[in-house]
Amino acid sequence: VTQGKRGRYHHGDLANALQVAATELARKGGPEAVVLREAARAVGVSATAAYRHFDGHGELMHAVKDEALRTLAAHMSEELAASPEQSDPIAEAVRRLRTLGRGYVRFALAEPGLFRTAFCRGGDKVDDGAAGFQQAPAFHMLSRALDELVELEVLPAQRRPHAEVFAWSVAHGLSMLLLDGPLRHLPAEAQEAVVERSLDGILAGLIPTEP
Amino acid sequence: VTQGKRGRYHHGDLANALQVAATELARKGGPEAVVLREAARAVGVSATAAYRHFDGHGELMHAVKDEALRTLAAHMSEELAASPEQSDPIAEAVRRLRTLGRGYVRFALAEPGLFRTAFCRGGDKVDDGAAGFQQAPAFHMLSRALDELVELEVLPAQRRPHAEVFAWSVAHGLSMLLLDGPLRHLPAEAQEAVVERSLDGILAGLIPTEP
DNA sequence: TGTACATCAGTGAACGCGCGTTCACTGATGTAC
DNA sequence: TGTACATCAGTGAACGCGCGTTCACTGATGTAC
């Protein structure tokens, strides 16, 4: 695709450009800010042009949600890569689970617009079935960390079923409460304390410990 | 206040009537459905009349959020009263914690419009400080149940701080994931399983158990 | 008990807004011969 | 290599919508004397 030519009639990559612009709107203003006309304006194209590439506002929204979800997963991967690996395999598996959870909440706090958009209502494809979420990259990372804990025999096998949902619920709920909920005015240090305590709760909820 | 006289010029209880109507809109359609003009229409009054009693849409919204929160707390209380009391004090405290959590999630699933409205953005008073949420009735019930567990020495005192936030996060996150999130298409029985497993997680996360 | 008048609680018309979407169109591109 | 023409990817004007809010107003209520 040629590029750089200004003012050319055929954009060449409009679908992509619109999605990028719309995602930027979401980043700055959350799901309500994802406005088809404004994305077109940002790209320098008439609103109508968007209809060549998206079925309408709903489809554009869905594309943005997808990208937000991918960005969340990428952020979690990065945090995983950034924190030092442990030599002890158990400590390493635990570290992964913790880091994944912390990455989730941190992303929510760092990119509230994208996070809200990723989990807002509407803009769903009809065909995503009951278990489609299991293909989500973030979910997959979480599953692998939990499987590892089972293999290392620190997470008892009978606690394995639905463990993802439990861990996910903690991270997600905490994110929402800190972002838009009753915890939204907590000072930064209290926020951190609350996050770490909740991560403790995930681990304690999964890994048996003697009193 | 006299009532029953139809078509009288002075309503007598307009503020209340508008709040009830607006809450009903929220119940049926979530926060976006809370429309000042529609609430006025439902009461049979001009839109302008609402401005005698509310500063505008934001204040009406705030009133609805407050009521939704109170309804959630009431629902949790009811579930508590409905489930049989245990004679063993420890079992009883555990049952309370579990029932509270289950009541929270069940309310979310039974009244999605109110639940979403209770936790939507916007419509906040400026004066609710950093710790205002601790006065919320639902939070208070949760705190009491946790205090009881400490007194009975099943919840170690060093785990007490922020325990509310952890428990709340599980219930809230699970509710959101089931309602609008990736778990939204889970069949009913899988939903129940996931709820119970997550409640297990709350308890295991707080109460030490030997392997 | 009656009357004047301030105050309260409504009315209805109007405004501006920006959205998503449709319509008939036109300029650019690429392919067949 | 040139030309005719189908197709593709844009344009710009227009529509209807319903919202929150403001404005000047009027009917009802209650109080002072």
Side-chain angles (χ1 to χ4, degrees):
Chain A
V1 175
T2 55
Q3 51 183 348
K5 269 194 185 173
R6 295 186 154 271
R8 70 196 187 292
Y9 197 86
H10 282 169
H11 183 284
D13 198 24
L14 229 201
N16 225 312
L18 283 170
Q19 182 174 333
V20 169
T23 303
E24 184 59 18
L25 294 175
R27 205 181 66 74
K28 286 193 285 206
E32 312 82 41
V34 178
V35 164
L36 184 144
R37 293 180 83 110
E38 182 126 342
R41 231 173 277 140
V43 174
V45 110
S46 73
T48 322
Y51 285 80
R52 291 279 164 207
H53 304 275
F54 296 93
D55 206 43
H57 177 263
E59 206 171 287
L60 178 62
M61 191 67 175
H62 184 257
V64 173
K65 283 184 68 167
D66 258 16
E67 192 169 324
L69 243 11
R70 279 194 304 270
T71 310
L72 165 61
H75 181 94
M76 288 165 71
S77 285
E78 279 166 34
E79 292 235 357
L80 216 49
S83 114
E85 208 163 321
Q86 305 288 57
S87 52
D88 176 41
I90 292 183
E92 167 62 13
V94 166
R95 174 210 141 235
R96 288 202 190 179
L97 184 54
R98 253 194 118 85
T99 307
L100 246 22
R102 187 164 27 222
Y104 193 96
V105 181
R106 282 203 185 155
F107 178 79
L109 296 176
E111 293 287 7
L114 286 184
F115 183 80
R116 286 190 194 105
T117 307
F119 293 100
C120 74
R121 291 218 297 155
D124 308 318
K125 279 204 192 100
V126 196
D127 66 348
D128 65 6
F133 66 89
Q134 292 180 4
Q135 274 99 56
F139 185 89
H140 199 243
M141 290 191 282
L142 175 58
S143 283
R144 276 194 43 208
L146 290 169
D147 285 341
E148 218 161 335
L149 286 169
V150 172
E151 278 161 35
L152 292 165
E153 296 184 334
V154 310
L155 168 56
Q158 84 269 14
R159 286 198 185 178
R160 180 64 185 81
H162 303 300
E164 296 94 342
V165 174
F166 165 65
W168 196 356
S169 292
V170 180
H172 192 73
L174 186 55
S175 300
M176 293 303 263
L177 293 176
L178 287 170
L179 220 55
D180 298 330
L183 305 183
R184 92 194 80 98
H185 291 130
L186 229 53
E189 54 185 84
Q191 282 190 4
E192 276 190 44
V194 141
V195 171
E196 294 306 320
R197 291 292 294 116
S198 295
L199 295 175
D200 291 346
I202 295 180
L203 289 164
L206 294 173
I207 301 172
T209 50
E210 37 245 288
Chain B
V1 174
T2 54
Q3 51 183 347
K5 267 193 186 174
R6 298 184 152 272
R8 69 196 187 292
Y9 198 85
H10 282 169
H11 183 284
D13 198 23
L14 227 203
N16 224 313
L18 283 170
Q19 180 172 335
V20 168
T23 303
E24 184 60 18
L25 293 175
R27 204 181 67 74
K28 286 193 284 204
E32 312 82 41
V34 178
V35 165
L36 185 145
R37 294 179 83 110
E38 182 126 343
R41 231 172 279 141
V43 175
V45 112
S46 74
T48 322
Y51 285 80
R52 290 281 162 205
H53 305 275
F54 297 93
D55 206 42
H57 177 262
E59 205 170 289
L60 178 62
M61 191 66 175
H62 184 259
V64 172
K65 283 185 68 166
D66 258 16
E67 192 169 324
L69 242 11
R70 279 195 302 272
T71 310
L72 165 61
H75 182 93
M76 289 164 71
S77 284
E78 278 166 34
E79 292 235 357
L80 216 50
S83 112
E85 208 163 321
Q86 305 289 62
S87 51
D88 175 44
I90 292 184
E92 167 63 12
V94 167
R95 173 209 141 236
R96 285 202 191 179
L97 184 54
R98 254 194 117 83
T99 306
L100 246 22
R102 188 167 21 225
Y104 193 96
V105 180
R106 284 203 184 155
F107 178 79
L109 296 175
E111 293 285 8
L114 286 184
F115 183 81
R116 287 191 193 103
T117 306
F119 294 100
C120 73
R121 293 218 295 155
D124 308 319
K125 277 203 194 104
V126 197
D127 66 347
D128 66 4
F133 65 90
Q134 292 180 3
Q135 273 100 56
F139 185 89
H140 200 243
M141 289 191 282
L142 175 56
S143 283
R144 276 193 44 209
L146 290 169
D147 285 341
E148 216 162 335
L149 286 170
V150 173
E151 278 162 34
L152 292 166
E153 295 183 336
V154 308
L155 168 56
Q158 85 269 15
R159 287 198 184 179
R160 181 64 185 81
H162 301 126
E164 295 95 340
V165 174
F166 165 66
W168 196 356
S169 293
V170 180
H172 191 74
L174 187 55
S175 299
M176 294 304 263
L177 294 176
L178 287 170
L179 219 55
D180 297 331
L183 305 183
R184 91 193 82 97
H185 292 130
L186 230 53
E189 55 186 83
Q191 282 190 4
E192 276 190 43
V194 142
V195 171
E196 294 305 321
R197 291 292 293 115
S198 296
L199 296 175
D200 291 347
I202 295 180
L203 288 164
L206 294 173
I207 301 172
T209 49
E210 36 246 288

